[in-house]
Every structure is written in C-alpha cells, then in structure tokens.
Amino acid sequence: MRARTIAAILATVVASPALAQAQAAMGPAQTIEAVAASKTGEVEGVFEFVVASGGAGGFSAYLNSAADYRDPGNLTIELHSTARNALKDKLGGHAEDVLVGKRVRVKGIARRVPVGSHFQTRIAVDSIDQIQILG
C-alpha cells in the first residue's frame, strides 16, 4: 500500500511540470513568456529580479526590471499604498528609490496590463509579506 502511495505522488509530480516550476523563482523573460502563453493572461508564482528603475504615480510605486518601463522585456512590481508605506517605514525611504540596484523576490500573480500605448507585465503587491529584499 505504501509503495503505491509513493508511486502515485511521484507520478503526480513528474506529470505536473507546472507544480515543479511554481517552486522556483522566475525571472522577467520567463515570467513574460509564461503570462503570454497563459490562457487566463496571468501566472501565479514567485518572481525575482534586480530593480533597474523605479517610479511612483498616484498611490502606487513601481519597481522595474528594466531601465525603461516601456521596454517589452520589463517586469514591474506595483506596490499598492499599504505595502508602499510599510516598505517606506522599513527601509527609511521610498522603495522606488532605495531598492534600485537591489535583488527582490515577490510572490503574487503576474498579469499583462495595458499602460498607455503599450502592455506591461505586472505583479501587484498589497502586503509587505509578499516581497523579500535579497540584497
């Protein structure tokens, strides 16, 4: 009985590459490709990159993987006000300034969203628990 249970678990893991992939952090190119290939236009997971640029607008701040947020290869973390304020308290400054050049890991849902005349892949962050500063 025990051998069949172990075999069933192994078969599920081997047959489910999405499950194995969800455990590893995806970089910008991999994330953008996965979102584009998704039937729902979104991918849940863990994402990681070095912040190349940042900005703010309205109540949100943005951390970009590319120097130009309009770059088709850019992945953006959108920090909503609660997370933005909590990070400001933790970091002693605005995340969009302090985190440039730092590696970050974020858990959430990556989505393709329209931004002006182009599309961008974004991960919305509502809680400071979703983001990790790796250095």
Side-chain angles (χ1 to χ4, degrees):
M1 183 72 132
R2 183 179 243 169
R4 282 197 299 199
T5 303
I6 292 171
I9 291 170
L10 287 173
T12 302
V13 172
V14 171
S16 180
L19 179 64
Q21 188 180 50
Q23 302 304 319
M26 289 190 273
Q30 187 180 12
T31 303
I32 292 164
E33 184 178 308
V35 170
S38 168
K39 290 181 182 180
T40 62
E42 58 185 44
V43 172
E44 185 171 1
V46 178
F47 312 95
E48 188 176 312
F49 63 85
V50 174
V51 178
S53 65
F59 295 108
S60 296
Y62 303 93
L63 306 175
N64 303 303
S65 67
D68 181 354
Y69 72 92
R70 292 179 290 265
D71 184 322
N74 178 56
L75 178 60
T76 297
I77 296 170
E78 180 179 14
L79 300 170
H80 293 163
S81 60
T82 303
R84 184 181 187 200
N85 293 335
L87 275 173
K88 182 180 176 190
D89 292 343
K90 179 179 178 178
L91 300 171
H94 293 288
E96 62 270 25
D97 299 324
V98 176
L99 293 179
V100 172
K102 305 283 187 198
R103 178 169 291 283
V104 295
R105 180 179 294 151
V106 62
K107 294 178 189 176
I109 300 172
R111 293 181 174 92
R112 189 169 185 242
V113 298
V115 178
S117 61
H118 69 285
F119 285 89
Q120 187 178 70
T121 304
R122 283 190 186 171
I123 306 147
V125 172
D126 294 309
S127 167
I128 193 170
D129 296 333
Q130 288 178 257
I131 192 164
Q132 204 178 3
I133 302 157
L134 304 175

